[in-house]
Amino acid sequence: MGRPPCCDEHGVKKGSWMPDEDKKLTDYIEKHGQGNWRRLPKLAGLNRCGKSCRLRWTNYLRPDIRRGKFTDEEEKLIIQLHSVLGNRWSTIATCLPGRTDNEIKNFWNTTLRKKLLQMGIDPVTHQPRTDLDSSLQLQVDAARLIELHLVQNLVRLLTCSSPASNLDLSRLLGSAVPKNHHQANDTFAFTPQLSSLVNGSLRLPSLLPVGQQTLSANGGHTATPSSTDDDSRLESMMMNKHCGTNSGTFPASVTTPSLVSSPENMSKNETISLEGSTNTPTPPPFEAWDALNLDDFGWKEIIE
DNA sequence: AACTAAAGCAACCGCAGCCTG
DNA sequence: GCAGGCTGCGGTTGCTTTAGT
């Protein structure tokens, strides 16, 4: 049995909203606030169920809604957040001021999902798809290598932050990308995507309680980070600190590789050279994006 | 110009979780 | 502690618009 759905009410109108209905709803909410959605339709003189009114208001009529095409920045942020949060559209929407969960969900399903698929990335796992031909697989391998470097540097950051240093994560990270294969470990060219991801907008979460951080990695650095200033950079991106839910501010520094395969979106700095010294042709954009795939770092677990 | 397919978008539906009495 | 009510969320549907032939 259970509670009957609110839309079982007979004679309640469904389907597209008429301008006069919009006006009634807007007028009512402007005067009285949202209040009880179930009672609202009656009070506002609308022949709709409360659910429909709420949806119409939150997805369309709300004054702070920003309409129009998604920008590249928004697009990238959605993908980043989706790789961490999955289909939690409402959470993702809190990081995109003026955008609704429904709008983001639609954008994902109609546009971004297809783009990722075309780029050889599984839109669910954000991992390279396995059913790729060999040339694509090579590129995927390159991207994995880059990820590995990034992980190494992140581990170093977590284990080596000096009390005296007000360290910039970008410096600590160095880069995910080896300048060439002869300089494998410590000399990296920092991709613009990573530096912008890191500079200012990312804060690393504390992974362990102070005093227990004895991770050993890459030669056995062992340290107990004493500063929390650098700790939550990444967290801030994910957890609304830069989201400006109501302020309308946008994390301008979050820039990631474009998914749009237009030449202007691929700067020379974004090229990833496996062979190092030779300048390889501009790779497909997914390479660069994949280099930023945060999924393998366990951010999901961190956030949860 | 007419038709068809694809894409985009608004809205609906059912469920889960929170709140309150 | 429990049941009912309400809200919010995510998946899905179906209508409208756009692009292609």
Short mmCIF file of all heavy atoms in Angstrom, two decimals, chain A residues 95-146:
data_model
loop_
_atom_site.label_atom_id
_atom_site.label_comp_id
_atom_site.label_asym_id
_atom_site.label_seq_id
_atom_site.Cartn_x
_atom_site.Cartn_y
_atom_site.Cartn_z
N CYS A 95 28.22 23.27 -7.02
CA CYS A 95 29.50 23.84 -7.42
C CYS A 95 29.40 24.66 -8.71
O CYS A 95 30.39 25.20 -9.17
CB CYS A 95 30.54 22.73 -7.60
SG CYS A 95 30.95 21.93 -6.07
N LEU A 96 28.24 24.68 -9.26
CA LEU A 96 28.04 25.47 -10.48
C LEU A 96 26.91 26.46 -10.23
O LEU A 96 25.75 26.16 -10.49
CB LEU A 96 27.73 24.57 -11.66
CG LEU A 96 28.91 23.76 -12.15
CD1 LEU A 96 28.63 22.29 -12.12
CD2 LEU A 96 29.30 24.21 -13.54
N PRO A 97 27.25 27.61 -9.73
CA PRO A 97 26.24 28.59 -9.36
C PRO A 97 25.31 28.89 -10.53
O PRO A 97 25.75 29.15 -11.64
CB PRO A 97 27.05 29.83 -9.00
CG PRO A 97 28.41 29.33 -8.73
CD PRO A 97 28.61 28.10 -9.54
N GLY A 98 24.04 28.85 -10.24
CA GLY A 98 23.07 29.20 -11.27
C GLY A 98 22.65 28.05 -12.15
O GLY A 98 21.74 28.18 -12.95
N ARG A 99 23.30 26.93 -11.98
CA ARG A 99 22.93 25.76 -12.77
C ARG A 99 22.14 24.78 -11.89
O ARG A 99 22.47 24.60 -10.72
CB ARG A 99 24.16 25.06 -13.32
CG ARG A 99 25.04 25.93 -14.20
CD ARG A 99 24.35 26.25 -15.51
NE ARG A 99 25.25 26.91 -16.45
CZ ARG A 99 24.86 27.35 -17.63
NH1 ARG A 99 23.60 27.25 -18.02
NH2 ARG A 99 25.72 27.93 -18.44
N THR A 100 21.17 24.14 -12.50
CA THR A 100 20.38 23.19 -11.72
C THR A 100 20.87 21.77 -11.95
O THR A 100 21.51 21.48 -12.96
CB THR A 100 18.90 23.26 -12.13
OG1 THR A 100 18.77 22.76 -13.47
CG2 THR A 100 18.39 24.69 -12.09
N ASP A 101 20.52 20.93 -11.01
CA ASP A 101 20.93 19.53 -11.15
C ASP A 101 20.35 18.93 -12.43
O ASP A 101 21.00 18.16 -13.13
CB ASP A 101 20.53 18.71 -9.93
CG ASP A 101 19.06 18.83 -9.58
OD1 ASP A 101 18.37 19.64 -10.22
OD2 ASP A 101 18.58 18.11 -8.69
N ASN A 102 19.11 19.30 -12.71
CA ASN A 102 18.46 18.76 -13.90
C ASN A 102 19.19 19.20 -15.18
O ASN A 102 19.40 18.42 -16.09
CB ASN A 102 17.01 19.25 -13.95
CG ASN A 102 16.13 18.35 -14.79
OD1 ASN A 102 16.28 17.13 -14.77
ND2 ASN A 102 15.24 18.94 -15.55
N GLU A 103 19.58 20.44 -15.20
CA GLU A 103 20.28 20.97 -16.36
C GLU A 103 21.62 20.27 -16.55
O GLU A 103 22.00 19.88 -17.66
CB GLU A 103 20.50 22.48 -16.15
CG GLU A 103 20.82 23.24 -17.41
CD GLU A 103 20.99 24.72 -17.13
OE1 GLU A 103 21.00 25.12 -15.94
OE2 GLU A 103 21.12 25.49 -18.09
N ILE A 104 22.31 20.09 -15.45
CA ILE A 104 23.62 19.42 -15.51
C ILE A 104 23.45 17.97 -15.93
O ILE A 104 24.19 17.45 -16.76
CB ILE A 104 24.33 19.52 -14.15
CG1 ILE A 104 24.69 20.98 -13.87
CG2 ILE A 104 25.57 18.66 -14.12
CD1 ILE A 104 25.12 21.24 -12.45
N LYS A 105 22.44 17.36 -15.37
CA LYS A 105 22.18 15.95 -15.72
C LYS A 105 21.87 15.82 -17.21
O LYS A 105 22.40 14.95 -17.89
CB LYS A 105 20.99 15.47 -14.89
CG LYS A 105 20.60 14.03 -15.11
CD LYS A 105 19.54 13.60 -14.11
CE LYS A 105 18.31 14.47 -14.19
NZ LYS A 105 17.28 14.08 -13.20
N ASN A 106 21.03 16.71 -17.70
CA ASN A 106 20.71 16.68 -19.12
C ASN A 106 21.95 16.92 -19.98
O ASN A 106 22.17 16.25 -20.99
CB ASN A 106 19.67 17.75 -19.45
CG ASN A 106 18.28 17.32 -19.06
OD1 ASN A 106 17.99 16.14 -18.98
ND2 ASN A 106 17.41 18.28 -18.78
N PHE A 107 22.73 17.89 -19.56
CA PHE A 107 23.95 18.21 -20.30
C PHE A 107 24.90 17.02 -20.33
O PHE A 107 25.50 16.70 -21.34
CB PHE A 107 24.62 19.43 -19.66
CG PHE A 107 25.85 19.90 -20.39
CD1 PHE A 107 25.79 20.22 -21.74
CD2 PHE A 107 27.07 20.02 -19.73
CE1 PHE A 107 26.92 20.67 -22.42
CE2 PHE A 107 28.20 20.46 -20.39
CZ PHE A 107 28.12 20.78 -21.75
N TRP A 108 24.97 16.36 -19.19
CA TRP A 108 25.83 15.18 -19.12
C TRP A 108 25.32 14.09 -20.08
O TRP A 108 26.06 13.55 -20.87
CB TRP A 108 25.87 14.64 -17.69
CG TRP A 108 26.67 13.37 -17.58
CD1 TRP A 108 26.19 12.10 -17.67
CD2 TRP A 108 28.08 13.26 -17.42
NE1 TRP A 108 27.22 11.20 -17.56
CE2 TRP A 108 28.39 11.88 -17.41
CE3 TRP A 108 29.12 14.19 -17.28
CZ2 TRP A 108 29.69 11.41 -17.26
CZ3 TRP A 108 30.41 13.72 -17.14
CH2 TRP A 108 30.68 12.35 -17.12
N ASN A 109 24.04 13.81 -19.96
CA ASN A 109 23.50 12.69 -20.74
C ASN A 109 23.49 12.97 -22.24
O ASN A 109 23.63 12.05 -23.04
CB ASN A 109 22.07 12.38 -20.27
CG ASN A 109 22.07 11.69 -18.93
OD1 ASN A 109 23.00 10.97 -18.58
ND2 ASN A 109 21.04 11.93 -18.13
N THR A 110 23.31 14.20 -22.62
CA THR A 110 23.20 14.49 -24.04
C THR A 110 24.55 14.83 -24.68
O THR A 110 24.76 14.57 -25.84
CB THR A 110 22.24 15.66 -24.30
OG1 THR A 110 22.71 16.82 -23.61
CG2 THR A 110 20.84 15.33 -23.85
N THR A 111 25.44 15.42 -23.93
CA THR A 111 26.67 15.94 -24.53
C THR A 111 27.94 15.30 -23.97
O THR A 111 28.71 14.69 -24.71
CB THR A 111 26.75 17.46 -24.32
OG1 THR A 111 25.52 18.04 -24.75
CG2 THR A 111 27.90 18.06 -25.09
N LEU A 112 28.13 15.46 -22.67
CA LEU A 112 29.42 15.07 -22.10
C LEU A 112 29.67 13.56 -22.17
O LEU A 112 30.77 13.12 -22.46
CB LEU A 112 29.51 15.55 -20.65
CG LEU A 112 29.54 17.06 -20.49
CD1 LEU A 112 29.69 17.44 -19.03
CD2 LEU A 112 30.67 17.67 -21.30
N ARG A 113 28.63 12.81 -21.91
CA ARG A 113 28.76 11.36 -21.97
C ARG A 113 29.30 10.93 -23.34
O ARG A 113 30.22 10.12 -23.45
CB ARG A 113 27.39 10.73 -21.75
CG ARG A 113 27.35 9.63 -20.72
CD ARG A 113 25.93 9.12 -20.60
NE ARG A 113 25.58 8.34 -21.78
CZ ARG A 113 25.81 7.03 -21.89
NH1 ARG A 113 26.36 6.38 -20.90
NH2 ARG A 113 25.51 6.38 -22.98
N LYS A 114 28.71 11.50 -24.36
CA LYS A 114 29.11 11.14 -25.72
C LYS A 114 30.54 11.58 -26.01
O LYS A 114 31.31 10.88 -26.65
CB LYS A 114 28.15 11.77 -26.73
CG LYS A 114 26.80 11.10 -26.74
CD LYS A 114 25.81 11.89 -27.56
CE LYS A 114 24.40 11.42 -27.25
NZ LYS A 114 23.39 12.36 -27.78
N LYS A 115 30.86 12.78 -25.51
CA LYS A 115 32.22 13.27 -25.73
C LYS A 115 33.24 12.33 -25.11
O LYS A 115 34.24 11.98 -25.73
CB LYS A 115 32.38 14.66 -25.11
CG LYS A 115 32.09 15.79 -26.05
CD LYS A 115 32.45 17.10 -25.41
CE LYS A 115 31.99 18.25 -26.31
NZ LYS A 115 32.20 19.55 -25.66
N LEU A 116 32.98 11.92 -23.89
CA LEU A 116 33.92 11.03 -23.21
C LEU A 116 34.04 9.71 -23.97
O LEU A 116 35.13 9.19 -24.15
CB LEU A 116 33.47 10.79 -21.77
CG LEU A 116 33.62 11.97 -20.82
CD1 LEU A 116 33.10 11.62 -19.44
CD2 LEU A 116 35.07 12.42 -20.71
N LEU A 117 32.91 9.21 -24.41
CA LEU A 117 32.94 7.96 -25.16
C LEU A 117 33.78 8.10 -26.41
O LEU A 117 34.59 7.23 -26.74
CB LEU A 117 31.51 7.52 -25.51
CG LEU A 117 30.71 6.91 -24.37
CD1 LEU A 117 29.25 6.74 -24.77
CD2 LEU A 117 31.30 5.57 -23.94
N GLN A 118 33.58 9.22 -27.09
CA GLN A 118 34.35 9.46 -28.31
C GLN A 118 35.84 9.55 -28.02
O GLN A 118 36.68 9.24 -28.85
CB GLN A 118 33.88 10.74 -28.98
CG GLN A 118 32.63 10.56 -29.82
CD GLN A 118 32.06 11.89 -30.29
OE1 GLN A 118 32.68 12.93 -30.09
NE2 GLN A 118 30.88 11.85 -30.90
N MET A 119 36.14 10.03 -26.82
CA MET A 119 37.55 10.19 -26.46
C MET A 119 38.14 8.92 -25.88
O MET A 119 39.28 8.90 -25.42
CB MET A 119 37.68 11.33 -25.46
CG MET A 119 37.43 12.68 -26.09
SD MET A 119 36.87 13.91 -24.91
CE MET A 119 38.19 13.86 -23.75
N GLY A 120 37.35 7.87 -25.84
CA GLY A 120 37.85 6.61 -25.34
C GLY A 120 37.83 6.50 -23.83
O GLY A 120 38.54 5.70 -23.25
N ILE A 121 37.01 7.32 -23.22
CA ILE A 121 36.91 7.29 -21.76
C ILE A 121 35.54 6.76 -21.37
O ILE A 121 34.53 7.21 -21.91
CB ILE A 121 37.12 8.68 -21.16
CG1 ILE A 121 38.53 9.17 -21.48
CG2 ILE A 121 36.89 8.67 -19.66
CD1 ILE A 121 38.78 10.61 -21.13
N ASP A 122 35.56 5.84 -20.46
CA ASP A 122 34.29 5.32 -19.97
C ASP A 122 33.63 6.39 -19.10
O ASP A 122 34.19 6.80 -18.09
CB ASP A 122 34.55 4.05 -19.15
CG ASP A 122 33.25 3.38 -18.72
OD1 ASP A 122 32.29 4.08 -18.38
OD2 ASP A 122 33.21 2.15 -18.75
N PRO A 123 32.43 6.84 -19.47
CA PRO A 123 31.81 7.92 -18.71
C PRO A 123 31.36 7.52 -17.32
O PRO A 123 31.06 8.38 -16.50
CB PRO A 123 30.61 8.31 -19.58
CG PRO A 123 30.34 7.14 -20.43
CD PRO A 123 31.63 6.40 -20.61
N VAL A 124 31.32 6.24 -17.06
CA VAL A 124 30.92 5.79 -15.73
C VAL A 124 32.12 5.74 -14.80
O VAL A 124 32.11 6.30 -13.71
CB VAL A 124 30.23 4.41 -15.79
CG1 VAL A 124 29.87 3.95 -14.40
CG2 VAL A 124 29.00 4.48 -16.67
N THR A 125 33.16 5.09 -15.27
CA THR A 125 34.34 4.92 -14.42
C THR A 125 35.38 6.02 -14.59
O THR A 125 36.28 6.17 -13.79
CB THR A 125 35.03 3.58 -14.72
OG1 THR A 125 35.48 3.62 -16.09
CG2 THR A 125 34.06 2.42 -14.54
N HIS A 126 35.27 6.75 -15.70
CA HIS A 126 36.26 7.77 -16.07
C HIS A 126 37.63 7.15 -16.33
O HIS A 126 38.65 7.82 -16.23
CB HIS A 126 36.35 8.87 -15.01
CG HIS A 126 35.13 9.73 -14.99
ND1 HIS A 126 35.07 10.98 -15.56
CD2 HIS A 126 33.89 9.50 -14.50
CE1 HIS A 126 33.84 11.49 -15.39
NE2 HIS A 126 33.11 10.60 -14.75
N GLN A 127 37.61 5.91 -16.62
CA GLN A 127 38.84 5.22 -16.98
C GLN A 127 38.84 5.01 -18.49
O GLN A 127 37.78 4.98 -19.11
CB GLN A 127 38.90 3.84 -16.29
CG GLN A 127 38.91 3.91 -14.78
CD GLN A 127 40.11 4.69 -14.27
OE1 GLN A 127 41.25 4.36 -14.61
NE2 GLN A 127 39.86 5.72 -13.49
N PRO A 128 40.04 4.87 -19.04
CA PRO A 128 40.10 4.57 -20.47
C PRO A 128 39.35 3.29 -20.78
O PRO A 128 39.41 2.34 -20.01
CB PRO A 128 41.59 4.40 -20.73
CG PRO A 128 42.25 5.11 -19.64
CD PRO A 128 41.34 5.02 -18.44
N ARG A 129 38.67 3.32 -21.87
CA ARG A 129 37.94 2.10 -22.25
C ARG A 129 38.92 1.05 -22.71
O ARG A 129 39.96 1.35 -23.28
CB ARG A 129 36.94 2.42 -23.35
CG ARG A 129 35.80 3.29 -22.88
CD ARG A 129 35.09 3.93 -24.03
NE ARG A 129 34.34 2.96 -24.80
CZ ARG A 129 33.90 3.21 -26.03
NH1 ARG A 129 34.16 4.35 -26.61
NH2 ARG A 129 33.22 2.31 -26.67
N THR A 130 38.59 -0.20 -22.49
CA THR A 130 39.51 -1.28 -22.84
C THR A 130 39.34 -1.74 -24.28
O THR A 130 40.22 -2.36 -24.85
CB THR A 130 39.29 -2.49 -21.92
OG1 THR A 130 37.89 -2.78 -21.90
CG2 THR A 130 39.79 -2.18 -20.54
N ASP A 131 38.22 -1.41 -24.88
CA ASP A 131 37.97 -1.86 -26.24
C ASP A 131 38.49 -0.85 -27.27
O ASP A 131 37.80 -0.40 -28.15
CB ASP A 131 36.47 -2.09 -26.47
CG ASP A 131 35.64 -0.86 -26.12
OD1 ASP A 131 36.13 -0.03 -25.32
OD2 ASP A 131 34.54 -0.74 -26.66
N LEU A 132 39.78 -0.51 -27.13
CA LEU A 132 40.35 0.47 -28.03
C LEU A 132 41.37 -0.20 -28.94
O LEU A 132 41.95 -1.22 -28.60
CB LEU A 132 41.05 1.56 -27.22
CG LEU A 132 40.17 2.30 -26.22
CD1 LEU A 132 41.03 3.21 -25.36
CD2 LEU A 132 39.11 3.10 -26.92
N ASP A 133 41.63 0.42 -30.08
CA ASP A 133 42.67 -0.14 -30.93
C ASP A 133 44.05 0.20 -30.34
O ASP A 133 44.18 0.94 -29.38
CB ASP A 133 42.53 0.33 -32.38
CG ASP A 133 42.74 1.82 -32.52
OD1 ASP A 133 43.50 2.39 -31.71
OD2 ASP A 133 42.13 2.41 -33.41
N SER A 134 45.06 -0.33 -30.95
CA SER A 134 46.38 -0.27 -30.32
C SER A 134 46.91 1.16 -30.20
O SER A 134 47.55 1.51 -29.21
CB SER A 134 47.36 -1.13 -31.09
OG SER A 134 47.40 -0.69 -32.43
N SER A 135 46.65 1.99 -31.19
CA SER A 135 47.19 3.35 -31.12
C SER A 135 46.53 4.12 -29.98
O SER A 135 47.17 4.86 -29.24
CB SER A 135 46.99 4.08 -32.44
OG SER A 135 45.61 4.25 -32.69
N LEU A 136 45.26 3.92 -29.85
CA LEU A 136 44.57 4.57 -28.74
C LEU A 136 45.08 4.02 -27.41
O LEU A 136 45.25 4.75 -26.45
CB LEU A 136 43.06 4.35 -28.85
CG LEU A 136 42.34 5.26 -29.84
CD1 LEU A 136 40.87 4.86 -29.92
CD2 LEU A 136 42.47 6.71 -29.43
N GLN A 137 45.34 2.72 -27.42
CA GLN A 137 45.80 2.11 -26.18
C GLN A 137 47.15 2.69 -25.76
O GLN A 137 47.40 2.89 -24.57
CB GLN A 137 45.91 0.59 -26.38
CG GLN A 137 46.08 -0.17 -25.09
CD GLN A 137 44.95 0.11 -24.09
OE1 GLN A 137 43.77 -0.04 -24.43
NE2 GLN A 137 45.29 0.56 -22.89
N LEU A 138 47.99 3.00 -26.75
CA LEU A 138 49.28 3.61 -26.45
C LEU A 138 49.08 4.93 -25.71
O LEU A 138 49.75 5.23 -24.72
CB LEU A 138 50.03 3.87 -27.76
CG LEU A 138 51.24 3.00 -28.04
CD1 LEU A 138 51.85 3.39 -29.37
CD2 LEU A 138 52.24 3.10 -26.89
N GLN A 139 48.14 5.70 -26.23
CA GLN A 139 47.88 6.99 -25.63
C GLN A 139 47.34 6.83 -24.22
O GLN A 139 47.67 7.57 -23.30
CB GLN A 139 46.90 7.77 -26.49
CG GLN A 139 47.51 8.15 -27.82
CD GLN A 139 46.47 8.63 -28.81
OE1 GLN A 139 45.28 8.50 -28.57
NE2 GLN A 139 46.93 9.17 -29.92
N VAL A 140 46.52 5.82 -24.09
CA VAL A 140 45.98 5.53 -22.76
C VAL A 140 47.11 5.18 -21.82
O VAL A 140 47.17 5.65 -20.69
CB VAL A 140 44.97 4.37 -22.85
CG1 VAL A 140 44.64 3.85 -21.46
CG2 VAL A 140 43.71 4.83 -23.54
N ASP A 141 48.05 4.36 -22.29
CA ASP A 141 49.18 3.98 -21.45
C ASP A 141 49.97 5.21 -21.03
O ASP A 141 50.41 5.32 -19.88
CB ASP A 141 50.08 3.01 -22.20
CG ASP A 141 49.42 1.65 -22.39
OD1 ASP A 141 48.42 1.37 -21.69
OD2 ASP A 141 49.88 0.88 -23.24
N ALA A 142 50.15 6.11 -21.97
CA ALA A 142 50.88 7.34 -21.65
C ALA A 142 50.18 8.10 -20.53
O ALA A 142 50.81 8.59 -19.59
CB ALA A 142 50.98 8.22 -22.89
N ALA A 143 48.90 8.14 -20.65
CA ALA A 143 48.13 8.85 -19.64
C ALA A 143 48.27 8.19 -18.28
O ALA A 143 48.36 8.84 -17.25
CB ALA A 143 46.68 8.93 -20.06
N ARG A 144 48.29 6.86 -18.29
CA ARG A 144 48.43 6.14 -17.02
C ARG A 144 49.78 6.45 -16.38
O ARG A 144 49.89 6.59 -15.16
CB ARG A 144 48.30 4.63 -17.22
CG ARG A 144 47.11 4.20 -18.00
CD ARG A 144 45.82 4.55 -17.33
NE ARG A 144 45.59 3.80 -16.11
CZ ARG A 144 44.55 4.02 -15.32
NH1 ARG A 144 43.71 5.00 -15.59
NH2 ARG A 144 44.38 3.31 -14.25
N LEU A 145 50.78 6.55 -17.21
CA LEU A 145 52.11 6.87 -16.71
C LEU A 145 52.09 8.23 -16.03
O LEU A 145 52.66 8.43 -14.94
CB LEU A 145 53.10 6.87 -17.87
CG LEU A 145 54.57 7.11 -17.50
CD1 LEU A 145 55.07 5.96 -16.63
CD2 LEU A 145 55.40 7.23 -18.76
N ILE A 146 51.42 9.14 -16.65
CA ILE A 146 51.33 10.48 -16.10
C ILE A 146 50.60 10.45 -14.76
O ILE A 146 51.01 11.09 -13.80
CB ILE A 146 50.61 11.40 -17.10
CG1 ILE A 146 51.55 11.65 -18.27
CG2 ILE A 146 50.21 12.70 -16.45
CD1 ILE A 146 50.82 12.10 -19.51
#
